[in-house]
Structures are given as structure tokens and as C-alpha cells.
Amino acid sequence: MLIQSLVFRCLSTRKNRLVIEFPRRLLFASFQFVSSFTAHVATEEINPSLKVPLFKEKTKLEGSKRLKLYSKILHDCASKGSLSSAKAVHGKIIKNGIDPDLHLWNSLVNAYAKRGVFGYACKVLDRMPERDVVSWAALFSGLVNEGYGYYVLDLYCSMKKDGVLPNGHCLVTALKACSLSLDLFFGTLLHGEGVKVGVLLDVFVGSSLVDLYAKCGQMELAERVFLFMDKKNVVSWNALLNGYALKGDAGKILNLFQGMTESELRCSKFTLSNVLKSCTYLVNLTWGLIAHSLVIKTGCEHDEFVGCCLLDMYSKCGLAEDTLKVFKRIQEPNIVAWSAMIDCLDEQGQIQEAAELFSLMRCKGVSPNQHTFASIAGVAANLGDRLYCEGVHACIFKHGFESEIILSNALIAMYMKIRSVQNGWRVFKEMSSWNSASWNSLLSGSHNGKTCDRGPSIFHKMLAEGFKPDICTFTSILRSCSNLLNIKFGHQVHAHIIKNGLKDNNLVGTSLIDLYAKNGFLADAELLFTQLIERDLFSWTALIAGYAQSDCSEKAIKCFNHMQRQGVTPNNFTLATCLSSCSNMAMLENGQLLHSMAIKAGNSGDMFVSSSIVDMYANCGCIEEAEAAFQGMVSTDTVSWNTMLFGYLQHRQGLKVLETFRMMLDKGLEPDEVTFIAVLSACSYMGFVNEGKEYFDSLTNVFGIVPTIKHCACMIDILGRAGKFNEVESFIKDMKVTSNPLIWETVLGACRMHGNDKLGESAAEKLFELNPGIASHYILLANIFAAKGRWEDVRRVRALMTHCGVKKEPGCSWVMVNGQVHIFRSTDGFHPKHGEIYIKLKELVEKSILAGYVPKTDHILNDVSDDEKLEQLFHHNERLALAFALISINPVKTIRIFKNLHICEDCHDFMKLVSGVIKQEIVVRDANCFHHFKSGICSCQDYC
């Protein structure tokens, strides 16, 4: 009764281990064995499928021949799974009173153990007159195969007490039991046992030791055993690979795989799947291709599991076409393969193809699971088709997954992304329970547009419900605060972040930088940036964008250069932001460097970047380069066409504006509100009154666009510049725009041009009521009075400015030389080279007078002497900038000057004449447009 009592002891307690219930079938079999077995087996026959003679002997077999026959039949029963036949053999042995030898006893134990009837096996082992290592190993093997590792270790101790020494097979089985139960202590004892009995060099024992140490996380010991093995097989390699896979050490797996390929061992599908997973994690396409070649070589290509690993590897490496080829070679792809393929197409931006594949999967009769539906919900969100999204929702409901919280969260995120906020809220409210991901999905719809203001209230409700915000929560609510420009609530969120210990998280830190930068708190943004543990591309870009949006273009460029020195590669958004800064500051050289960088990095094809390149060249006075960049764009949209239209407009190429607009319509692109501002502005300065009226009428009649204040202002400018003031007044009354400052500002500008002091004074009075703090309104009225010689009224307007605390913006011009900006103001004597500048300017005045220049002193609207007027004219800031450029810049190079105010008519004439005298192109950008002076002619056709 030794084995039976041992089994009972296993049931009750285990030293240093939790009590685990032994299988009930073993108990039942042990206690009922004696009473029922003999009667049962006497009626059994051997299963004919075993292909051995029926147990109906026609002749008596005597002695050892009979025992050998029984042993053979029992061996076949164990290997081919016939428990009833094994019982029949056992019954014959008992019924005929046969005295089994050791081999037959072992065959009985083996047959019962292999079929999982451990009660019978234990009873037989208990009745054996003598037991050897094979007897015990047979029982161990059966228990290990069924996953009962703990019990093997107790039985192993009993075997040792029985005086039986283990052999290699017995140790392998016991080590497998240790691996199953993760019993490292007992495993090390077995390791010592292996050394003692001299079987450690056996490849199977070594492989089992490697497997034990690997599964217990002792990779150093596992590798040490592995290295000391004389012979290594696929099992030992796989054991080590699996250990590193459990640790997530993908790099080590690839190193081992390299060594394995050098040893010319035949890889199994388990090896290759681990290697492919590591290649996926490391995005290592080179070793992934090597692994794929071995997959084909070993004939594992059609294996579903290996196929899914290949799918995942190619997908993560961004090779959608190769992923699809692998998918097509899987004979009967399961739902995992279909889902992986849909994920791949979605990640690679092939959302239409992903949707089509989902439809094909359903046509093939493959039922989608939760993961598939979660993926297709993301695809639907990216498609932006509301009907398709609702169809996905209906499909989830049809398959009975509507109560799954993961899918509900995916549906909320889907609806929020397509701006179907009401549907998202409905899904949220119908959920029986929420988790943090549910609230985060809801918050994802409060980033942009009209739903931004919902973010704070959702965040409040989430806290009130007792949910703890995570990284995703904080980044979402911070984005909402950024777009709302709600710095007060942002401060409160910042306090929550500190309280939750997430202030050092890079993602949260970047969102905080974006919040403070967008709200103009650049010092706080800079401080947060310096406190980041790791500054990645997104944190750099957030700070650069903050500088650019706050008109700190020089800081943006410096920050970009610093980022590059730190080895951080810019993305499309970073490049576009910096190009915008170059555009604002007219930093042509920096813009050209960024352009070349975009080409080198392969970003120039991005629509956002290419539009920024067009805008940069246009704003830097290089309209030809802007045109070339636009024509070289791979794809265009309305925004990029608008950029080109405004480029032409800035350079006073009105005919090209209208021509480009017609080309845009021919391409099938829909113009928007911005498009018509460019078109109407071009009609204005070209004097195309009738065409302007037609375009204005087409806004509503043809394109269904409601005219905005800016469109009305453009129409007033068209009429006003043509001197049609009666029509201007009628238009203002008809359109009911009398209360908008932009309208009266446009009227005032037209009155200044035509000297209409009566209407001009009326328009100015309206402006003083609506917006009294704008200096240009006072200056325009004063200039109208000055042109009429009404000096008393001029003084009255200037006194009014002083009384209202309004100050005129000082005029200045700047020019860039050798990467440095030089700023000049009228009669400026502070520049280090002011002496040389004035000498050069005097020389230019003399040469221009000889060429026919006559100073227009009537444009000096100050009540001073003619000599003082001449002095003021000759020392205007744009002329000082021109003189400095001529003494500093290569005479072949185009001179580019930038002004913050309009260029006066006299300076305009002066620049024209000088360009002919020095035979060099001069480009001046004032507050209105670009003027290209070349060979005595200006591109604006003297419309300044």
C-alpha cells in the first residue's frame, strides 16, 4: 500500500507548498480497484484497431513467449490509446494466474499512466514485488504529460527511498515536472543528481535543465548550462530562446538565432515564431527576411501561427504589399490572420483596402471576434464615413458584442473622431459600467471644433465618479484646454498631474508645454521643457510651434537648430512650422536650408510641408521659386491652391491670380471663402470692377458661399478704388455692414487715395466710435487733411491721438546680410556703418537726379520747410536699408528689403530709378505687397 498511501499524503499536504487537490479520478480508481477490477476485465476484449491478434488464444503459449506477447500488446495499447484493451490484457493476466516479470509489470504501469488512469498505475506499482527506474519513469511521464508536475516530485522522493537510482530519462521527466511547477529549488537538487549519476552530458538532460532555468527566469544559469553542453539540439536552442522571449529580450533572441543558423541546425516552427516576434518588436526587417527564408525552407510557410507572425513582422516594418502576399499564401486563414491583415492595412493608411478585406472576410464565412471589430471601428473612424461607422456599430450589435466594454470604448472613440458626438455620448450612456478607457474615449472628442468646451465638464464628471485619470486622460484634457486657450483650467489640471505623480512623464510634459506656449506663457513652457527627462521630437516641436505662434520666429529657428544638434530628426509638422517662421521673418536663407532638408528627408512630397515651402518663397519675395515649388507638388488641395493665389496677389500679379483660379476650377477643386478673398483683391487693385461684381455674385449663386465681412470689404475696395463712392454707400446699406470697423477702414483707405475728405472724415468718425485704439485710422485721416492743406484739422487729429493714448507705430525697414538682420529707422544714425551708409545714399541721390529723379515733397505731410521735407525724404528708412545693402551685398545678388509700413510714392520712384542705374534687382516688401524693381520698372505697375 506504499504508493496508495503516498497518493493520499499528496492529497493532504505538501511541505513548503500549497495543498493542491489530486485528480478525483485517481482517488476513485485507487479505492475501487480491488473490488471491481477483476470482474470487469474478465469480459473485455482487445480493440481490433490495435492490429494485434484478438485475445482468444487457439494455442497455449507457455513461459516467456506469453509474457513478451502481453508486453507487446500493452505497449501498443499505451501508444495507440486503447484503455479497454489494456484492461482486457490485465484481466487475462489475473484470471489465468500468470506471474508477470518486471517488463510486464512496467508495461502495465506504462499503459495506465499513458492513458491518464493514475489510480490503476499507482495500484500496479504498489503491488510490484520489485521496482526499477523504468517503473517509476513510466508513472512520472504520464503525470507530466497531464500537467501534474507537483506530484512527480513527491513520487521521485519515494523512488529514492526505494533505493532506485535515476537514469537520464527519469531525470528529464523530473526536470520537466520542476519546469511545470516552477520549482527552482528541487530543480537545482536534480541538477546535482545529474552530476552525481553522470548523465549531465546527455543532450536531453541538458536541454531540460536549460528549459527549467529559463522558465524560472534564471537566464544566466540557463545560458551557462547551454554553453557547457557538448551537443546542442533544437530543443535546447528553443528552451533558451523561449526564456529570453519570456523576458522580452528581443535583441538576445536575434543574437542566439544568428548562432543557431551558423550551427546549421534545422529550425522548428517554435524557433522561427519567437525570432519573427523579436524582429517585429525591434522592427528588424533584415533578420525577418532571413527568418522568412528559413520558414520556406523548413516547410512552415502554411502554418497558421507562423503565418500570423510573418504578417505581424511585415506589418510593423511597414511593408503592406509583402504582408498581403504572406496572407494570401495561408491556405485557410483564421480570424487571427484576418484581423492582423486588417490591422496592417489600417496602420499603413490603406483604410479603404482594410474595409474591403473586412467585407471579404465576412463573405468567406469567417466570424469576426472582438479584436476584429475593434480594428474595423478604427478603420471606420479613419474613413470618416458616418453611414459606414453606423454599419459597423450595427454589425457589432448583430454578433452580440454590444455589452463588451472594449468594443463600446472603440465605438465611442470612432464616433468622436468623425465628430458624431451625439452618437458617442449615446453609446457611453448605454454602457452598464465604465472604465478609464471609456472616459478617455469620450474626452477624445473634445480636442477640436465646437466640442472643445465639453472637455472640462467631462473631466469633472470623471473625477466625481471616482475614476483616477491616467496619462491618456491628462493629454486629452490638456489638448482641450490648449484649443480653448483656457489657461485657468489648465493650471488646475497641472496641479492634478503633480498630485498623481505624472509631472515627469514625457507625453504629459509635452502637452503642458503646448498648453502654456499656445496661451503665450513661453517662460513657463521653456521651464517645463528644461525639466523633461527625455526631450523627444514632439516636445521640441511643441516649443518650436509655441515660438512660431507667438511671433518669436527667430527663437523658433534657434530652437530648431538646437534640436538638430541634439540629433533629433524633424518630422513634417516640425519642418512646416519652421518654414512658417522663416516666412513670417522673410528668412530666405534659412527657408532654403529647410527646403533642402525636406527634400533630403523625403518630406517635400507632404502636402503640408510643400504648401509651407510655397508660402515661404512667396513671403521672401521669390515668386518664381514659389511657382516652381507649387508646380512640383505631388498632390494639391484647396489650401495649397490658396497659398499660390495669395503668393501671386502679394507680388501684384493679378492676371495670374485669376488665371490660377480658373485652373483650380478646371481641376475640379471647390473654392472656399479664402479663395474668393484673393480673387476679389486681385480685381480690386487691377481695377476690374465688372469682373469683381461677377465674382462676388457667384459666391452665393454658384458656389453657395455666404459672403463674409472680408468679402464685403473686398467689394467696397473694388468700388472705392474706382472712385464709385455712391455705389460704396449703397452697398454698405444693402449688405447691412455699417457696424464693422473693417468696412469703414476700407472706405477710409479709398478716400485717402481719391482725396475724398468729406466721406473720409465720416468714415473716420465711425472708426473712432467702433475701435478708437487703432493708430492707422487717425493717420489716414490726418493725411487726407494734410493733402488738402487743412493743417489745423491735422493738428486736431494728432491732439485727439494724444488724448486717447494712441501711438503711431514707428516705421522701420530691415535687410538680412550674412544671416543677420539689420534694422533701420528714418534719419537713423546709430548703425555702426552709418557714415558709409550716408555717403552711399548721397551718391545714389545724385545719380538718380541725373537719371531724371524729381523729389515729390508734397508727399511729406508735415507743415515744415521745403529743405526739411527734402531731408526727410532722402533719409527714409528704406533708402538707408538700400544703401547698406549696396555696400554689403554682392552686386549680382538681388537686394531684399522689408518694411512694416507702406512705401511712399517718392521712395517708390527713387527705387525704380536706382534699379536702372545700378543694374541690379531690388525687391521691397511693404505692408501691402511686394515691389520688384528692375531696369527702372516696378512689378506693381506703379500702384503703390
Side-chain angles (χ1 to χ4, degrees):
M1 302 298 287
L2 172 65
I3 307 303
Q4 188 173 345
S5 62
L6 177 61
V7 169
F8 183 78
R9 197 161 62 248
C10 288
L11 279 170
S12 58
T13 182
R14 252 183 91 79
K15 189 176 181 181
N16 299 324
R17 195 175 290 119
L18 292 173
V19 176
I20 298 181
E21 185 181 359
F22 205 72
R24 292 184 63 191
R25 59 180 176 174
L26 192 153
L27 271 178
F28 178 81
S30 296
F31 300 144
Q32 300 295 322
F33 180 78
V34 177
S35 60
S36 65
F37 183 70
T38 305
H40 174 72
V41 297
T43 60
E44 292 283 352
E45 290 187 347
I46 301 171
N47 191 335
S49 65
L50 293 174
K51 296 181 181 179
V52 295
L54 289 174
F55 197 54
K56 292 179 179 178
E57 303 156 281
K58 293 181 180 180
T59 60
K60 289 274 187 176
L61 294 175
E62 300 295 337
S64 61
K65 287 185 178 180
R66 178 182 295 182
L67 297 179
K68 286 180 180 178
L69 177 60
Y70 289 161
S71 296
K72 183 179 185 305
I73 295 171
L74 288 168
H75 181 271
D76 290 339
C77 290
S79 60
K80 297 186 179 180
S82 177
L83 177 61
S84 60
S85 295
K87 288 179 179 180
V89 172
H90 196 177
K92 288 291 184 182
I93 293 170
I94 297 170
K95 184 178 179 181
N96 295 330
I98 297 170
D99 184 18
D101 60 3
L102 183 60
H103 188 264
L104 183 55
W105 280 114
N106 289 341
S107 297
L108 276 167
V109 173
N110 183 55
Y112 287 130
K114 286 286 175 64
R115 301 316 310 145
V117 188
F118 299 114
Y120 289 177
C122 290
K123 192 68 177 178
V124 171
L125 191 66
D126 205 23
R127 284 177 169 271
M128 289 174 66
E130 60 175 327
R131 294 178 285 269
D132 64 1
V133 69
V134 178
S135 317
W136 291 96
L139 182 58
F140 296 168
S141 181
L143 286 166
V144 166
N145 289 339
E146 291 293 320
Y148 302 126
Y150 283 140
Y151 308 110
V152 171
L153 304 184
D154 278 326
L155 290 168
Y156 184 86
C157 294
S158 297
M159 181 190 78
K160 290 298 300 287
K161 288 177 183 178
D162 209 21
V164 179
L165 290 176
N167 62 7
H169 176 66
C170 183
L171 274 174
V172 167
T173 309
L175 285 167
K176 285 181 180 177
C178 292
S179 296
L180 281 172
S181 55
L182 298 178
D183 195 327
L184 180 62
F185 175 73
F186 204 97
T188 54
L189 294 178
L190 292 175
H191 190 168
E193 191 90 342
V195 175
K196 185 178 178 181
V197 298
V199 295
L200 194 62
L201 296 178
D202 182 86
V203 65
F204 298 105
V205 175
S207 298
S208 299
L209 275 169
V210 172
D211 182 60
L212 167 68
Y213 287 130
K215 283 181 178 173
C216 291
Q218 301 296 317
M219 293 311 302
E220 187 179 346
L221 291 175
E223 195 162 354
R224 192 181 302 171
V225 172
F226 180 81
L227 291 173
F228 278 100
M229 289 175 66
D230 288 338
K231 293 182 180 179
K232 301 175 179 69
N233 60 6
V234 176
V235 176
S236 54
W237 281 98
N238 282 346
L240 201 59
L241 285 168
N242 284 332
Y244 282 114
L246 289 171
K247 286 188 70 176
D249 194 341
K252 193 69 177 177
I253 290 173
L254 291 189
N255 289 337
L256 285 170
F257 179 60
Q258 186 176 1
M260 192 175 182
T261 53
E262 290 170 359
S263 68
E264 298 183 355
L265 276 170
R266 183 180 176 85
C267 298
S268 68
K269 64 180 182 181
F270 304 107
T271 311
L272 293 168
S273 62
N274 271 330
V275 172
L276 287 167
K277 286 177 183 177
S278 300
C279 294
T280 302
Y281 180 77
L282 296 172
V283 196
N284 190 326
L285 179 61
T286 304
W287 276 102
L289 292 171
I290 293 170
H292 191 177
S293 66
L294 288 172
V295 166
I296 297 168
K297 187 177 179 181
T298 54
C300 302
E301 192 175 14
H302 300 296
D303 182 84
E304 286 186 7
F305 186 68
V306 175
C308 287
C309 291
L310 278 168
L311 279 177
D312 204 30
M313 186 273 292
Y314 281 118
S315 173
K316 291 296 187 293
C317 291
L319 301 173
E321 290 183 10
D322 294 289
T323 311
L324 193 57
K325 287 177 184 177
V326 171
F327 177 75
K328 288 178 179 178
R329 286 175 187 160
I330 301 175
Q331 291 177 349
E332 292 185 8
N334 59 14
I335 187 59
V336 176
W338 284 98
S339 299
M341 193 63 238
I342 291 169
D343 276 341
C344 170
L345 293 171
D346 185 30
E347 287 171 8
Q348 300 304 315
Q350 299 184 33
I351 50 177
Q352 188 63 47
E353 291 82 354
E356 289 170 3
L357 192 67
F358 177 70
S359 299
L360 179 62
M361 181 192 81
R362 296 185 66 204
C363 290
K364 293 281 185 181
V366 180
S367 184
N369 61 14
Q370 292 183 51
H371 178 74
T372 321
F373 277 126
S375 299
I376 204 64
V379 170
N382 291 329
L383 277 173
D385 187 331
R386 182 169 178 173
L387 288 176
Y388 187 81
C389 289
E390 289 173 351
V392 169
H393 190 174
C395 196
I396 290 170
F397 198 91
K398 180 181 177 181
H399 281 77
F401 289 124
E402 69 277 2
S403 60
E404 295 292 336
I405 192 167
I406 295 173
L407 290 183
S408 295
N409 294 342
L411 285 171
I412 295 167
M414 175 188 77
Y415 281 127
M416 290 303 179
K417 191 165 185 178
I418 66 166
R419 301 286 185 270
S420 183
V421 178
Q422 190 175 0
N423 280 333
W425 269 101
R426 187 179 295 117
V427 173
F428 181 81
K429 289 176 181 177
E430 289 174 357
M431 291 173 68
S432 57
S433 63
W434 303 308
N435 58 13
S436 294
S438 313
W439 290 97
N440 291 341
S441 298
L442 202 62
L443 272 171
S444 68
S446 62
H447 293 167
N448 302 304
K450 298 177 180 179
T451 58
C452 277
D453 56 344
R454 295 195 180 189
S457 61
I458 295 170
F459 185 72
H460 273 306
K461 287 178 183 177
M462 180 181 179
L463 295 178
E465 291 286 340
F467 287 92
K468 185 178 180 181
D470 56 18
I471 292 168
C472 186
T473 315
F474 284 124
T475 51
S476 288
I477 189 59
L478 286 170
R479 282 182 64 186
S480 178
C481 292
S482 295
N483 292 322
L484 284 170
L485 299 179
N486 189 342
I487 192 64
K488 185 177 179 181
F489 193 80
H491 282 312
Q492 295 174 16
V493 174
H494 193 172
H496 272 284
I497 289 167
I498 295 169
K499 184 180 178 182
N500 282 270
L502 292 173
K503 64 183 180 66
D504 293 326
N505 180 271
N506 261 46
L507 197 59
V508 174
T510 300
S511 300
L512 281 168
I513 291 167
D514 183 59
L515 168 71
Y516 285 112
K518 279 185 178 175
N519 282 275
F521 292 82
L522 291 176
D524 294 309
E526 289 168 355
L527 179 62
L528 285 165
F529 183 77
T530 57
Q531 291 174 348
L532 286 177
I533 296 171
E534 183 183 347
R535 297 165 194 168
D536 59 10
L537 172 63
F538 301 104
S539 52
W540 281 100
T541 303
L543 189 61
I544 291 168
Y547 286 136
Q549 290 163 4
S550 300
D551 293 329
C552 299
S553 298
E554 287 184 85
K555 279 192 173 184
I557 298 300
K558 285 180 181 178
C559 190
F560 178 80
N561 293 334
H562 189 194
M563 180 191 81
Q564 283 192 290
R565 287 194 294 271
Q566 295 294 316
V568 180
T569 304
N571 63 6
N572 295 345
F573 183 73
T574 319
L575 285 168
T577 302
C578 289
L579 283 163
S580 176
S581 296
C582 293
S583 176
N584 293 336
M585 287 294 293
M587 297 176 176
L588 179 61
E589 292 178 6
N590 286 319
Q592 288 171 329
L593 287 172
L594 289 168
H595 186 182
S596 63
M597 190 182 299
I599 294 170
K600 186 178 179 181
N603 299 120
S604 58
D606 179 79
M607 197 184 301
F608 192 36
V609 173
S610 51
S611 293
S612 300
I613 290 169
V614 173
D615 184 58
M616 182 273 296
Y617 279 121
N619 278 336
C620 289
C622 306
I623 191 61
E624 293 84 3
E625 286 83 350
E627 191 174 39
F630 177 75
Q631 290 172 353
M633 287 179 69
V634 178
S635 58
T636 55
D637 61 357
T638 302
V639 174
S640 51
W641 281 86
N642 287 348
T643 304
M644 194 66 244
L645 286 171
F646 275 94
Y648 286 134
L649 184 66
Q650 275 186 301
H651 291 265
R652 286 297 183 254
Q653 296 187 17
L655 291 176
K656 282 199 172 183
V657 172
L658 301 181
E659 181 186 345
T660 305
F661 175 66
R662 285 190 289 270
M663 287 173 60
M664 178 181 175
L665 296 179
D666 292 340
K667 293 279 185 182
L669 284 151
E670 283 290 325
D672 59 12
E673 297 174 0
V674 178
T675 312
F676 277 98
I677 291 171
V679 171
L680 292 170
S681 297
C683 291
S684 174
Y685 81 81
M686 291 178 68
F688 291 174
V689 179
N690 293 331
E691 290 86 344
K693 288 179 179 179
E694 289 176 8
Y695 284 126
F696 185 84
D697 292 339
S698 71
L699 263 171
T700 305
N701 300 334
V702 179
F703 299 101
I705 300 172
V706 178
T708 66
I709 288 296
K710 288 186 177 180
H711 295 128
C712 294
C714 287
M715 196 62 228
I716 290 168
D717 195 45
I718 290 171
L719 298 171
R721 288 179 184 277
K724 299 179 179 294
F725 289 107
N726 290 333
E727 291 187 40
V728 166
E729 291 181 276
S730 299
F731 182 87
I732 292 172
K733 288 177 183 177
D734 292 342
M735 296 301 294
K736 299 177 181 179
V737 288
T738 55
S739 60
N740 193 279
L742 181 61
I743 299 299
W744 295 110
E745 188 177 317
T746 307
V747 172
L748 187 60
C751 292
R752 162 74 180 87
M753 182 182 296
H754 291 280
N756 189 335
D757 53 339
K758 184 179 178 182
L759 182 58
E761 190 171 2
S762 176
E765 286 175 0
K766 284 278 188 183
L767 287 169
F768 297 157
E769 291 175 14
L770 296 169
N771 205 342
I774 307 298
S776 60
H777 301 159
Y778 298 89
I779 294 163
L780 278 172
L781 181 60
N783 289 345
I784 291 172
F785 289 151
K788 293 287 186 179
R790 296 169 57 178
W791 297 111
E792 188 61 36
D793 290 323
V794 170
R795 283 188 282 272
R796 179 174 55 83
V797 172
R798 288 177 178 168
L800 182 61
M801 279 183 72
T802 305
H803 176 73
C804 294
V806 179
K807 293 184 179 180
K808 177 186 175 183
E809 181 186 1
C812 68
S813 295
W814 63 93
V815 64
M816 184 171 284
V817 175
N818 298 325
Q820 186 176 355
V821 177
H822 296 261
I823 301 173
F824 298 89
R825 290 182 172 81
S826 296
T827 65
D828 194 348
F830 299 104
H831 195 277
K833 291 188 176 182
H834 70 276
E836 296 175 58
I837 291 169
Y838 277 90
I839 291 170
K840 186 65 179 179
L841 187 56
K842 185 179 179 182
E843 177 190 329
L844 289 174
V845 171
E846 290 172 353
K847 287 182 178 180
S848 61
I849 288 173
L850 290 174
Y853 167 60
V854 178
K856 295 179 178 178
T857 55
D858 55 322
H859 288 284
I860 299 295
L861 301 176
N862 290 322
D863 192 11
V864 294
S865 65
D866 289 343
D867 289 340
E868 287 179 299
K869 288 182 179 181
L870 282 173
E871 182 70 18
Q872 289 181 20
L873 272 181
F874 291 162
H875 296 144
H876 272 186
N877 50 62
E878 54 263 59
R879 303 191 195 200
L880 296 175
L882 172 63
F884 173 72
L886 287 171
I887 64 176
S888 307
I889 294 176
N890 189 310
V892 180
K893 197 172 182 181
T894 300
I895 297 169
R896 302 181 191 279
I897 300 168
F898 301 89
K899 279 184 63 66
N900 64 331
L901 302 176
H902 295 289
I903 188 171
C904 74
E905 190 175 335
D906 186 73
C907 286
H908 188 270
D909 291 346
F910 179 76
M911 294 287 180
K912 279 200 304 180
L913 288 166
V914 170
S915 69
V917 170
I918 64 175
K919 295 181 171 54
Q920 190 171 354
E921 185 178 2
I922 304 167
V923 178
V924 177
R925 188 189 80 179
D926 66 4
N928 195 30
C929 67
F930 276 95
H931 302 268
H932 293 257
F933 300 102
K934 192 173 183 180
S935 303
I937 300 171
C938 180
S939 60
C940 76
Q941 301 173 357
D942 295 340
Y943 176 75
C944 58

